[in-house]
């Protein structure tokens, strides 16, 4: 790993800490969901409303491969 990559990782960590500070309930929500609702067949829906009122919505139905990805990400985080 070179110096640029280390600097990028440190910046990402700093940005993530700032996000957590600005939105303290969101990480708690993700933790609760990951412990109780991430299983094959669960549907994750995301809604975004811009300040102008424009709305975007999508969803994904989780497959076994998705669960494996989430488990891999969890192991990296620990």
């Amino acid at each position: 790993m070179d110096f640029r990559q280390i600097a990028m990782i440190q910046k990402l960590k700093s940005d993530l800490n700032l996000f957590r500070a600005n939105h303290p309930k969101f990480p708690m929500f993700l933790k609760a969901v990951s412990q109780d609702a991430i299983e094959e067949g669960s549907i994750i829906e995301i809604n975004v409303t811009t300040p102008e009122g424009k709305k975007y919505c999508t969803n994904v139905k989780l497959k076994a491969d998705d669960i494996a990805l989430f488990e891999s990400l969890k192991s990296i985080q620990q």
Side-chain angles (χ1 to χ4, degrees), residues 11-38:
K11 174 147 178 26
L12 181 60
K13 184 176 181 191
S14 175
D15 292 346
L16 184 56
N17 287 337
L18 180 59
F19 182 86
R20 286 179 176 145
N22 288 336
H23 311 283
K25 292 182 181 179
F26 190 69
M28 292 186 304
F29 167 78
L30 291 178
K31 183 177 181 181
V33 167
S34 71
Q35 291 174 346
D36 191 42
I38 300 296

Side-chain angles (χ1 to χ4, degrees), residues 30-44 60-71 74:
L30 291 178
K31 183 177 181 181
V33 167
S34 71
Q35 291 174 346
D36 191 42
I38 300 296
E39 60 184 272
E40 191 171 354
S42 292
I43 297 172
I44 297 174
V60 293
K61 186 173 186 178
L62 298 178
K63 299 179 180 181
D65 292 341
D66 304 322
I67 305 306
L69 172 64
F70 290 141
E71 291 300 319
K74 270 201 256 183

Side-chain angles (χ1 to χ4, degrees), residues 40-68:
E40 191 171 354
S42 292
I43 297 172
I44 297 174
E45 184 171 282
I46 300 173
N47 294 292
V48 176
T49 305
T50 68
E52 296 79 26
K54 191 170 184 178
K55 297 182 185 237
Y56 298 86
C57 179
T58 192
N59 64 60
V60 293
K61 186 173 186 178
L62 298 178
K63 299 179 180 181
D65 292 341
D66 304 322
I67 305 306

